[in-house]
Amino acid sequence: MKESASAKEIESVEKLLAEFGFQTHPIQGEKKTVIGAIGDKRLLSMNQILTMDGVENVVPIMKPYKLASKELHKEPSVIEIGHGITVGGKQLAVFAGPCAIESQEQFTTVSKAVKASGANILRGGAFKPRSSPYSFQGLGKEGIDLLIQARKITGLPIVTEIMDLSDLDCFADVDVVQVGARNMQNFTLLKALGRSDKPVLLKRGLSSTLQELLMSAEYIMSEGNQNVILCERGIRTFEPATRNTLDLSAVPLLQQKTHLPITVDPSHATGIASLVEPMALCAVTAGCDALEIEVHNDPKNAWSDGAQSLTPAQFAETMKKVKALSEFMGKPLDVNE
Ligand code: PEP
Ligand code: MN
């Protein structure tokens, strides 16, 4: 729509598109509104739309993902997390915390430590997807209560993973819902998360292409929720020396294709604590919008993912470098006060 388009003109265009059988998604930019319209374009009279008051242009989007596509939304999306924190745009965010929440003491200790080092968002697994059914499966609802408690203590927003739709009620008071790599194509879950407006951190599947990742984002967005944050967390390759292979070219490539913010998780990508800092710095250099890093007060005795977890002291050192580099890159680390 033109900059000068009135609310009434926008509404009339949406109404006509609906009559042609299109689903509409108005996107309000700083200056203009763009109406995303999903439907069969053969049923649409382009001319009729083009000649309506307030219409600037009609652009067909050929990509299979449309709402996630940069063609529809040129400016990078900035997602409000709450507590004054945003992901995307001009600042870098850091999600940090243990792989799994083990106890109140453990989580409070790590939460305070990561906040002191400059992390903006607390992470901690309550429902854990483990390769073995005999491994610790997470504290479940009790873990979510501990996250909420840690948010009260630190003032930082919280992110945690949902594994099953039947647990959705437990996530009502969580700031960001994480969809893990193993659930990237759980379309029922994605659609349900799309029906709220809670930010979703969507991790790339173990062997998913970038197009599949974007199509999964589209599942969430097509239900109405535009608050999707993508996460590159390494993919399965033939190389066994690292847990996964970090696909860093995904960052600039995704930025060419989508307006959605992009997070990099160097912890799951490498599986090795000593590789987390160098890969985190490379991710910042590649232009990521956020990092997700696992930190544990006692990695040797962690109940999950100890080998890839940084100690609070290592995390503090890494954050000093991340902070300096992010300033140099022109996307400084967001404050966490
Ligand atoms: C996690 O972040 O705790 C996790 C399980 O990650 P992923 O889904 O990327 O394996
Ligand atoms: Mn983990």
Side-chain angles (χ1 to χ4, degrees), residues 99 123 125 128-129 161 178-182 203-204 206 233 243 265 268 292 294 305:
C99 177
R123 69 145 281 149
K128 292 303 306 172
E161 176 170 351
Q178 176 168 315
V179 173
R182 291 152 192 83
K203 300 190 87 171
R204 182 178 183 181
L206 271 66
R233 45 77 73 207
R243 183 174 180 183
D265 169 355
H268 292 89
E292 184 174 31
E294 285 187 344
D305 287 352

Side-chain angles (χ1 to χ4, degrees), residues 6-301:
S6 67
K8 202 151 177 260
E9 287 166 346
I10 294 170
E11 201 182 301
S12 311
V13 174
E14 280 198 77
K15 202 161 156 253
L16 184 63
L17 285 164
E19 280 168 23
F20 283 124
F22 279 67
Q23 220 189 64
T24 59
H25 301 266
I27 297 156
Q28 253 144 9
E30 255 171 50
K31 293 199 177 122
K32 295 179 188 178
T33 295
V34 174
I35 305 172
I38 315 275
D40 183 348
K41 80 172 190 299
R42 288 170 304 181
L43 303 175
L44 180 73
S45 157
M46 289 271 210
N47 260 339
Q48 206 176 331
I49 301 280
L50 263 173
T51 52
M52 287 183 83
D53 290 338
V55 172
E56 185 174 275
N57 204 0
V58 180
V59 184
I61 297 178
M62 305 315 287
K63 297 258 173 17
Y65 46 88
K66 302 189 189 285
L67 298 169
S69 148
K70 213 158 180 177
E71 292 173 50
L72 184 71
H73 192 296
K74 301 238 173 342
E75 294 303 309
S77 280
V78 179
I79 307 215
E80 305 257 346
I81 303 297
H83 302 254
I85 301 294
T86 54
V87 177
K90 297 192 165 60
Q91 285 182 305
L92 180 77
V94 176
F95 299 71
C99 177
I101 298 161
E102 297 168 10
S103 68
Q104 184 183 31
E105 198 197 345
Q106 171 246 14
F107 195 59
T108 312
T109 308
V110 177
S111 298
K112 286 184 182 163
V114 297
K115 172 165 185 181
S117 301
N120 328 91
I121 301 157
L122 293 180
R123 69 145 281 149
F127 296 90
K128 292 303 306 172
R130 304 303 301 279
S131 302
S132 163
Y134 308 117
S135 302
F136 174 56
Q137 305 284 306
L139 296 180
K141 172 81 175 74
E142 191 192 331
I144 304 229
D145 294 340
L146 293 176
L147 274 157
I148 292 168
Q149 235 179 63
R151 177 176 59 197
K152 271 206 197 104
I153 297 170
T154 59
L156 297 183
I158 52 179
V159 57
T160 193
E161 176 170 351
I162 187 166
M163 281 174 57
D164 195 292
L165 205 45
S166 61
D167 299 321
L168 192 58
D169 287 349
C170 300
F171 290 75
D173 199 19
V174 161
D175 299 292
V176 182
V177 179
Q178 176 168 315
V179 173
R182 291 152 192 83
N183 261 319
M184 190 203 84
Q185 287 189 316
N186 181 338
F187 301 122
T188 316
L189 182 62
L190 300 179
K191 283 204 244 179
L193 295 174
R195 292 192 284 274
S196 81
D197 60 1
K198 207 180 269 299
V200 177
L201 178 63
L202 176 65
K203 300 190 87 171
R204 182 178 183 181
L206 271 66
S207 49
S208 297
T209 64
L210 294 178
Q211 172 143 329
E212 285 164 342
L213 174 63
L214 289 167
M215 291 311 289
S216 290
E218 192 77 12
Y219 260 96
I220 300 169
M221 299 174 87
S222 65
E223 293 291 328
N225 187 354
Q226 308 303 300
N227 299 319
V228 181
I229 303 165
L230 305 173
C231 182
E232 163 58 40
R233 45 77 73 207
I235 47 174
R236 272 274 159 90
T237 68
F238 54 81
E239 176 55 71
T242 48
R243 183 174 180 183
N244 291 289
T245 297
L246 180 56
D247 177 11
L248 267 185
S249 57
V251 177
L253 197 59
L254 283 169
Q255 274 165 352
Q256 289 170 23
K257 295 179 184 298
T258 181
H259 54 89
L260 298 174
I262 301 150
T263 306
V264 172
D265 169 355
S267 307
H268 292 89
T270 61
I272 301 170
S274 62
L275 301 184
V276 169
E277 178 181 294
M279 290 302 101
L281 297 176
C282 289
V284 173
T285 310
C288 70
D289 298 293
L291 292 167
E292 184 174 31
I293 299 181
E294 285 187 344
V295 181
H296 196 282
N297 51 323
D298 181 11
K300 281 198 186 68
N301 292 303

